[in-house]
Amino acid sequence: MSNIKNFINGNFQNPINNNWIDNYNPSNGDVYGQIPNSSSEDVEEAFEAAKSAFSQWSQTTLEERSRILIRISELLEENLQRFAEAESIDNGKPLSLAKTVDIPRAASNFRFFGNAITQFASESHESVGQNAINYTLRQPIGVVGCISPWNLPLYLFTWKIAPALATGNCVVAKPSEVTPMTAYMLGEICNEAGLPSGVLNIVHGLGSSTGQAIIEHPGIKAISFTGGTATGAHIAKVAAPMFKKLSLELGGKNPNIIFADCDYDHMLATTVRSSFANQGQICLCGSRIFIEASIYDKFKADFIDKVKQLNVGHPSEKSTDIGALVSKPHLEKVKSYIEIAKAEGANILYGGKEVTVEGFEDGYYLQPTVIEVHNDECRVNQEEIFGPVVTLMPFTTEEEVLTMANKVKYGLSATLWTNNLTRTMKFSSKLEAGIVWVNTWMMRDLRTPFGGVKASGVGREGGFEALRFFTEPKNICIKY
Ligand code: NAD
């Protein structure tokens, strides 16, 4: 059994109430360990440790903070294989993906923010003619809370923690209870890298107990959250009366808009990836595919042909393209949407069935699923499924597809395939999304703002936006 512990004040410890929950391996359905279901007492201890560490950490030179963050990054790289295996077992994602995306990205998050903090600057404003100068101090907030989801476990956990630490805050963090393993392992790496005790505290447990204790804690002044829209709305309700600073990265239902004038082969290969990478469990996946009517039939045939070639299998197999879904309840939720699609009169063009992988019969495997819908307002086209399920629908005019693309409550990302510059400019400005990719997908530059509009969230992560979020601007006006 791989049991994990809380990481508080540099020590690994059991939850005070000795309350534990099971951790499942999605590839075979086995319970392979237990994790603390921490209570508000554990969160209080983590908070006290963070609070005590703050006076020193916030005064640590930028060079020293940068050196420690970059050391964490190097140690993650040195431990790539071990972390990738742990991530793949905990989440069900292909080991190859964890090794090439999740863990390298977690390492680059620490390296990026370790470097970015040495370049971060604040403004000064000379009040001309008034003999006065204003300058802005960017001060750390204090103790901040970071809460992350299960789909890209260490990658999204570190995406918050690295900028919070770089700016001099101390952190109480909670990974998803569904995928806690690599966050637990990060504690050891932080000790080895010389991160002072108490600067980062990691408490494990359910959202309703541990997560709730973090968002309710009056001393935790900011919450950076990534997860579902309903959870985000709940957090906003709890945090608003306490005037906490909030960054909410929430759900998506992203359009992938394909015009006939695009580079077809490149579009086709990328669309397979943007539909099914990580079992379709990436908030940026393009789950609503709109295709210009003149190439609809060709696209449909070619796309299904490629999807059929995707290999659903055990995450550790090199030949696996699609691993296991993260949990049994999630598998059930995704399957229920396939039933909803049938009831709504949509055509299941491919997939829709569970897959039995020999030797791992109790794992949570599902075929990549392609659904042809006739009405963009149907539930499978409006609600976030967050699994290996995409819908196809033809369009004839720019106006029609723009309206359909924007007619959902979400606004995280959008992908556009065209070689027409005027159309590119028009769609880029009119699509209701925080991120628009043109002729590519999920190409990331860590300096760019990351986040969504509408029900996809509030605030932006990434680059200096994250450093701004984790600091409080204070204006100093000096008259001379
Ligand atoms: P979730 O909202 O169920 O859980 C996310 C985290 O919040 C978990 O750690 C959970 O324990 C915690 N939590 C739950 N209830 C809480 C509460 N009352 N107080 C405090 N914390 C609480 O989401 P999930 O199922 O883990 O993740 C999937 C969702 O995340 C999808 O909707 C997906 O689109 C979204 N997501 C968004 C982004 C983005 O950048 N916008 C990235 C990845 C995932």
Side-chain angles (χ1 to χ4, degrees), residues 20 33 70 93 151 241 248 258 268 308 319 331 359 415 428-429:
W20 300 83
I70 290 171
K93 68 177 67 213
N151 62 325
L248 302 172
I258 300 169
L268 189 64
K308 275 184 185 161
S319 57
L331 173 69
T415 307
S428 308
S429 81

Side-chain angles (χ1 to χ4, degrees), residues 320-361:
T320 292
D321 300 302
I322 299 192
L325 269 66
V326 75
S327 68
K328 183 87 177 156
H330 190 59
L331 173 69
E332 295 304 329
K333 175 193 152 182
V334 176
K335 276 169 45 191
S336 77
Y337 272 100
I338 295 167
E339 293 311 310
I340 290 169
K342 287 180 193 160
E344 284 181 323
N347 299 341
I348 312 295
L349 297 176
Y350 182 74
K353 297 197 181 69
E354 274 189 73
V355 176
T356 306
V357 175
E358 206 187 320
F360 308 98
E361 286 76 8

Side-chain angles (χ1 to χ4, degrees), residues 284-299:
L284 306 166
C285 279
S287 51
R288 293 182 293 146
I289 310 179
F290 297 107
I291 307 106
E292 191 164 6
S294 59
I295 58 163
Y296 184 72
D297 289 337
K298 174 174 167 51
F299 173 84

Side-chain angles (χ1 to χ4, degrees), residues 248-279:
L248 302 172
E249 301 293 340
L250 311 176
K253 188 78 187 175
N254 311 307
N256 178 5
I257 304 165
I258 300 169
F259 281 93
D261 69 354
C262 70
D263 173 348
Y264 188 83
D265 292 341
H266 177 43
M267 174 279 296
L268 189 64
T270 309
T271 295
V272 173
R273 217 162 44 84
S274 68
S275 303
F276 300 115
N278 203 40
Q279 297 70 247

Side-chain angles (χ1 to χ4, degrees), residues 200-266:
L200 171 64
N201 304 277
I202 303 170
V203 278
H204 296 274
L206 299 174
S208 54
S209 47
T210 320
Q212 186 70 22
I214 293 174
I215 61 170
E216 280 178 349
H217 198 295
I220 297 179
K221 301 289 185 205
I223 304 284
S224 173
F225 169 80
T226 298
T229 294
T231 316
H234 170 76
I235 292 175
K237 247 187 229 159
V238 173
M242 286 184 266
F243 308 107
K244 289 179 197 252
K245 217 173 168 182
L246 276 187
S247 166
L248 302 172
E249 301 293 340
L250 311 176
K253 188 78 187 175
N254 311 307
N256 178 5
I257 304 165
I258 300 169
F259 281 93
D261 69 354
C262 70
D263 173 348
Y264 188 83
D265 292 341
H266 177 43

Side-chain angles (χ1 to χ4, degrees), residues 148 150 174 177 207 211-212 225-228 231 234 250-251 283 384 450:
S148 58
W150 49 254
K174 190 193 94 62
E177 62 276 25
Q212 186 70 22
F225 169 80
T226 298
T231 316
H234 170 76
L250 311 176
C283 54
E384 187 185 42
F450 180 91

